[in-house]
Amino acid sequence: MTSSRLAELWPAAGLRVRAGDLELRWIDDELALDLAELAGAGIHDEGAMPFNHPWTRGPARAVARSVLTFQWAARSQVGPDRLVLELGVLVDGRPVGVQSASGDHWSVLRELETGSWLGRAHQGQGIGTRMRALMLHLCFEGLGAESVVSGAFTDNDASTSVSRRTGFETDGVTRVVREGAAAMQTRYRMDRARWRQCRDADHAIIGADIVMEGVDALLADLASPADLPGAPPPQADPAP
């Protein structure tokens, strides 16, 4: 688990959302290793590709290393201009996948895009729907998002089902390049008003009371850009 010293200096590291046996939390090095090994064991059939970037192709070690390098790079992208939250998904304390939410110009647009994956052994059990609903609660109730979007290739029935079950509305279809060929991708959107309509149904999907930790500290950090890496130093007082 993340140390209190790290969470004090980097509040996003203290983020944790729990509901019964389901937990989303910041990915520290130990959890990143568990998730890397899980991804290396396989996420989808060889003939499928649910991701825009085919990071799941290749030997198990290469896939695991891709998870590590991606997670290490994502950790620093927590700020008002770009907010990236990569959270490990645990069921009964066992790592089963990743649920993310990210967005550019967060302080202005207040919009996040979700993404996720589950290890093969944990698919088909309703976990994907529960973790998306829990992430929606964090985004809207915890962080004050105005909208959340998601996307899925039209041949990705599992992701499409999750979006529909949690209340997303279709927001258009676009053609993108997937592994060198054109593919159709459907975009889904949920604004705050729509989430309020779906909140009770989503809570029923989650199936337990929700406890959020570290949200207030993260919000305070996002409201203080001068404390974030890359921010200009404070101006010195004029010389007397």
Side-chain angles (χ1 to χ4, degrees), residues 13-14 25 37 43 84 91 125 157 159 171-173 175 197 205 215 219 237:
R25 71 170 171 88
E37 293 174 355
I43 294 175
V84 177
V91 175
Q125 303 171 33
D157 294 337
S159 181
D171 191 35
V173 179
R175 295 175 77 238
Q197 294 174 351
I205 289 172
V215 174
L219 289 174
D237 291 333

PDB file of all heavy atoms in Angstrom, residues 13-14 25 37 43 84 91 125 157 159 171-173 175 197 205 215 219 237:
ATOM      1  N   ALA A  13      -1.425   9.666  -4.907  1.00  0.00           N
ATOM      2  CA  ALA A  13      -0.989   8.344  -4.467  1.00  0.00           C
ATOM      3  C   ALA A  13      -1.845   7.803  -3.320  1.00  0.00           C
ATOM      4  O   ALA A  13      -1.824   6.602  -3.043  1.00  0.00           O
ATOM      5  CB  ALA A  13       0.474   8.383  -4.041  1.00  0.00           C
ATOM      6  N   GLY A  14      -2.610   8.668  -2.667  1.00  0.00           N
ATOM      7  CA  GLY A  14      -3.473   8.228  -1.585  1.00  0.00           C
ATOM      8  C   GLY A  14      -4.893   7.935  -2.015  1.00  0.00           C
ATOM      9  O   GLY A  14      -5.761   7.653  -1.178  1.00  0.00           O
ATOM     10  N   ARG A  25      -7.559   1.581  -6.618  1.00  0.00           N
ATOM     11  CA  ARG A  25      -6.548   2.347  -5.886  1.00  0.00           C
ATOM     12  C   ARG A  25      -5.328   2.642  -6.736  1.00  0.00           C
ATOM     13  O   ARG A  25      -5.062   1.986  -7.751  1.00  0.00           O
ATOM     14  CB  ARG A  25      -6.151   1.642  -4.591  1.00  0.00           C
ATOM     15  CG  ARG A  25      -5.328   0.382  -4.712  1.00  0.00           C
ATOM     16  CD  ARG A  25      -4.857  -0.001  -3.316  1.00  0.00           C
ATOM     17  NE  ARG A  25      -4.226  -1.300  -3.240  1.00  0.00           N
ATOM     18  CZ  ARG A  25      -2.912  -1.507  -3.454  1.00  0.00           C
ATOM     19  NH1 ARG A  25      -2.117  -0.510  -3.800  1.00  0.00           N
ATOM     20  NH2 ARG A  25      -2.416  -2.728  -3.328  1.00  0.00           N
ATOM     21  N   GLU A  37       2.251  -8.816 -14.552  1.00  0.00           N
ATOM     22  CA  GLU A  37       2.230 -10.268 -14.717  1.00  0.00           C
ATOM     23  C   GLU A  37       0.858 -10.747 -15.160  1.00  0.00           C
ATOM     24  O   GLU A  37       0.740 -11.677 -15.978  1.00  0.00           O
ATOM     25  CB  GLU A  37       2.641 -10.940 -13.411  1.00  0.00           C
ATOM     26  CG  GLU A  37       4.104 -10.693 -13.048  1.00  0.00           C
ATOM     27  CD  GLU A  37       4.461 -11.240 -11.679  1.00  0.00           C
ATOM     28  OE1 GLU A  37       3.541 -11.719 -10.972  1.00  0.00           O
ATOM     29  OE2 GLU A  37       5.647 -11.199 -11.316  1.00  0.00           O
ATOM     30  N   ILE A  43      -5.062 -11.059 -22.045  1.00  0.00           N
ATOM     31  CA  ILE A  43      -6.231 -10.227 -21.809  1.00  0.00           C
ATOM     32  C   ILE A  43      -7.342 -10.533 -22.803  1.00  0.00           C
ATOM     33  O   ILE A  43      -8.525 -10.434 -22.473  1.00  0.00           O
ATOM     34  CB  ILE A  43      -5.848  -8.725 -21.892  1.00  0.00           C
ATOM     35  CG1 ILE A  43      -4.888  -8.366 -20.746  1.00  0.00           C
ATOM     36  CG2 ILE A  43      -7.079  -7.825 -21.841  1.00  0.00           C
ATOM     37  CD1 ILE A  43      -4.364  -6.951 -20.815  1.00  0.00           C
ATOM     38  N   VAL A  84      -4.433  12.339 -15.287  1.00  0.00           N
ATOM     39  CA  VAL A  84      -4.430  10.916 -15.615  1.00  0.00           C
ATOM     40  C   VAL A  84      -4.496  10.130 -14.314  1.00  0.00           C
ATOM     41  O   VAL A  84      -3.601  10.257 -13.468  1.00  0.00           O
ATOM     42  CB  VAL A  84      -3.173  10.512 -16.406  1.00  0.00           C
ATOM     43  CG1 VAL A  84      -3.173   8.996 -16.661  1.00  0.00           C
ATOM     44  CG2 VAL A  84      -3.092  11.268 -17.716  1.00  0.00           C
ATOM     45  N   VAL A  91     -10.315  -7.268  -6.328  1.00  0.00           N
ATOM     46  CA  VAL A  91     -11.514  -7.939  -5.824  1.00  0.00           C
ATOM     47  C   VAL A  91     -11.064  -8.858  -4.692  1.00  0.00           C
ATOM     48  O   VAL A  91     -10.209  -9.728  -4.896  1.00  0.00           O
ATOM     49  CB  VAL A  91     -12.230  -8.739  -6.925  1.00  0.00           C
ATOM     50  CG1 VAL A  91     -13.403  -9.515  -6.331  1.00  0.00           C
ATOM     51  CG2 VAL A  91     -12.719  -7.811  -8.027  1.00  0.00           C
ATOM     52  N   GLN A 125     -17.581 -11.933 -15.389  1.00  0.00           N
ATOM     53  CA  GLN A 125     -18.128 -12.066 -14.038  1.00  0.00           C
ATOM     54  C   GLN A 125     -18.832 -10.795 -13.563  1.00  0.00           C
ATOM     55  O   GLN A 125     -19.199 -10.686 -12.398  1.00  0.00           O
ATOM     56  CB  GLN A 125     -17.002 -12.429 -13.059  1.00  0.00           C
ATOM     57  CG  GLN A 125     -16.248 -13.688 -13.425  1.00  0.00           C
ATOM     58  CD  GLN A 125     -15.015 -13.906 -12.569  1.00  0.00           C
ATOM     59  OE1 GLN A 125     -14.991 -13.556 -11.386  1.00  0.00           O
ATOM     60  NE2 GLN A 125     -13.982 -14.476 -13.158  1.00  0.00           N
ATOM     61  N   ASP A 157     -17.838  -6.316 -28.076  1.00  0.00           N
ATOM     62  CA  ASP A 157     -19.151  -6.421 -27.447  1.00  0.00           C
ATOM     63  C   ASP A 157     -19.101  -6.219 -25.940  1.00  0.00           C
ATOM     64  O   ASP A 157     -20.028  -5.650 -25.350  1.00  0.00           O
ATOM     65  CB  ASP A 157     -19.767  -7.789 -27.754  1.00  0.00           C
ATOM     66  CG  ASP A 157     -20.087  -7.964 -29.235  1.00  0.00           C
ATOM     67  OD1 ASP A 157     -20.246  -6.943 -29.927  1.00  0.00           O
ATOM     68  OD2 ASP A 157     -20.167  -9.126 -29.682  1.00  0.00           O
ATOM     69  N   SER A 159     -17.054  -4.308 -24.024  1.00  0.00           N
ATOM     70  CA  SER A 159     -16.945  -2.900 -23.656  1.00  0.00           C
ATOM     71  C   SER A 159     -18.224  -2.146 -23.984  1.00  0.00           C
ATOM     72  O   SER A 159     -18.677  -1.287 -23.214  1.00  0.00           O
ATOM     73  CB  SER A 159     -15.754  -2.261 -24.382  1.00  0.00           C
ATOM     74  OG  SER A 159     -15.626  -0.907 -24.020  1.00  0.00           O
ATOM     75  N   ASP A 171     -22.495   8.682 -28.804  1.00  0.00           N
ATOM     76  CA  ASP A 171     -22.062  10.032 -29.163  1.00  0.00           C
ATOM     77  C   ASP A 171     -21.342  10.042 -30.507  1.00  0.00           C
ATOM     78  O   ASP A 171     -20.415  10.814 -30.728  1.00  0.00           O
ATOM     79  CB  ASP A 171     -21.150  10.574 -28.046  1.00  0.00           C
ATOM     80  CG  ASP A 171     -20.871  12.065 -28.187  1.00  0.00           C
ATOM     81  OD1 ASP A 171     -21.770  12.801 -28.627  1.00  0.00           O
ATOM     82  OD2 ASP A 171     -19.749  12.481 -27.859  1.00  0.00           O
ATOM     83  N   GLY A 172     -21.745   9.144 -31.402  1.00  0.00           N
ATOM     84  CA  GLY A 172     -21.167   9.134 -32.745  1.00  0.00           C
ATOM     85  C   GLY A 172     -20.262   7.950 -33.006  1.00  0.00           C
ATOM     86  O   GLY A 172     -19.872   7.207 -32.102  1.00  0.00           O
ATOM     87  N   VAL A 173     -19.929   7.780 -34.280  1.00  0.00           N
ATOM     88  CA  VAL A 173     -19.056   6.699 -34.728  1.00  0.00           C
ATOM     89  C   VAL A 173     -17.954   7.306 -35.586  1.00  0.00           C
ATOM     90  O   VAL A 173     -18.192   8.244 -36.362  1.00  0.00           O
ATOM     91  CB  VAL A 173     -19.843   5.651 -35.539  1.00  0.00           C
ATOM     92  CG1 VAL A 173     -18.917   4.547 -36.032  1.00  0.00           C
ATOM     93  CG2 VAL A 173     -20.964   5.057 -34.703  1.00  0.00           C
ATOM     94  N   ARG A 175     -14.036   6.436 -37.817  1.00  0.00           N
ATOM     95  CA  ARG A 175     -13.112   5.463 -38.382  1.00  0.00           C
ATOM     96  C   ARG A 175     -11.718   5.772 -37.877  1.00  0.00           C
ATOM     97  O   ARG A 175     -11.260   6.908 -37.933  1.00  0.00           O
ATOM     98  CB  ARG A 175     -13.132   5.507 -39.917  1.00  0.00           C
ATOM     99  CG  ARG A 175     -14.458   5.102 -40.524  1.00  0.00           C
ATOM    100  CD  ARG A 175     -14.459   5.285 -42.047  1.00  0.00           C
ATOM    101  NE  ARG A 175     -13.734   4.210 -42.728  1.00  0.00           N
ATOM    102  CZ  ARG A 175     -12.695   4.411 -43.527  1.00  0.00           C
ATOM    103  NH1 ARG A 175     -12.240   5.629 -43.740  1.00  0.00           N
ATOM    104  NH2 ARG A 175     -12.119   3.390 -44.128  1.00  0.00           N
ATOM    105  N   GLN A 197     -29.398  10.740 -13.351  1.00  0.00           N
ATOM    106  CA  GLN A 197     -30.501   9.854 -13.699  1.00  0.00           C
ATOM    107  C   GLN A 197     -30.127   8.387 -13.490  1.00  0.00           C
ATOM    108  O   GLN A 197     -30.983   7.574 -13.131  1.00  0.00           O
ATOM    109  CB  GLN A 197     -30.904  10.066 -15.163  1.00  0.00           C
ATOM    110  CG  GLN A 197     -31.503  11.425 -15.470  1.00  0.00           C
ATOM    111  CD  GLN A 197     -31.742  11.613 -16.967  1.00  0.00           C
ATOM    112  OE1 GLN A 197     -31.316  10.802 -17.791  1.00  0.00           O
ATOM    113  NE2 GLN A 197     -32.409  12.691 -17.322  1.00  0.00           N
ATOM    114  N   ILE A 205     -25.697  -1.708  -9.329  1.00  0.00           N
ATOM    115  CA  ILE A 205     -24.706  -2.546 -10.012  1.00  0.00           C
ATOM    116  C   ILE A 205     -23.482  -2.738  -9.121  1.00  0.00           C
ATOM    117  O   ILE A 205     -22.946  -3.847  -9.002  1.00  0.00           O
ATOM    118  CB  ILE A 205     -24.297  -1.908 -11.352  1.00  0.00           C
ATOM    119  CG1 ILE A 205     -25.444  -2.004 -12.363  1.00  0.00           C
ATOM    120  CG2 ILE A 205     -23.037  -2.572 -11.915  1.00  0.00           C
ATOM    121  CD1 ILE A 205     -25.200  -1.231 -13.641  1.00  0.00           C
ATOM    122  N   VAL A 215      -9.624  11.842  -1.813  1.00  0.00           N
ATOM    123  CA  VAL A 215     -10.197  12.708  -2.845  1.00  0.00           C
ATOM    124  C   VAL A 215      -9.996  14.180  -2.500  1.00  0.00           C
ATOM    125  O   VAL A 215      -9.608  14.986  -3.352  1.00  0.00           O
ATOM    126  CB  VAL A 215     -11.695  12.393  -3.051  1.00  0.00           C
ATOM    127  CG1 VAL A 215     -12.316  13.403  -4.015  1.00  0.00           C
ATOM    128  CG2 VAL A 215     -11.860  10.983  -3.589  1.00  0.00           C
ATOM    129  N   LEU A 219      -8.071  16.955  -4.792  1.00  0.00           N
ATOM    130  CA  LEU A 219      -8.727  18.160  -5.293  1.00  0.00           C
ATOM    131  C   LEU A 219      -7.952  19.413  -4.880  1.00  0.00           C
ATOM    132  O   LEU A 219      -7.801  20.340  -5.678  1.00  0.00           O
ATOM    133  CB  LEU A 219     -10.159  18.229  -4.779  1.00  0.00           C
ATOM    134  CG  LEU A 219     -11.142  17.228  -5.381  1.00  0.00           C
ATOM    135  CD1 LEU A 219     -12.487  17.319  -4.668  1.00  0.00           C
ATOM    136  CD2 LEU A 219     -11.319  17.468  -6.871  1.00  0.00           C
ATOM    137  N   ASP A 237       9.910  39.091  -4.557  1.00  0.00           N
ATOM    138  CA  ASP A 237       9.480  40.450  -4.263  1.00  0.00           C
ATOM    139  C   ASP A 237      10.426  41.436  -4.917  1.00  0.00           C
ATOM    140  O   ASP A 237      11.629  41.171  -5.051  1.00  0.00           O
ATOM    141  CB  ASP A 237       9.485  40.691  -2.752  1.00  0.00           C
ATOM    142  CG  ASP A 237       8.403  39.893  -2.047  1.00  0.00           C
ATOM    143  OD1 ASP A 237       7.384  39.588  -2.700  1.00  0.00           O
ATOM    144  OD2 ASP A 237       8.609  39.558  -0.855  1.00  0.00           O
TER     145      ASP A 237
END
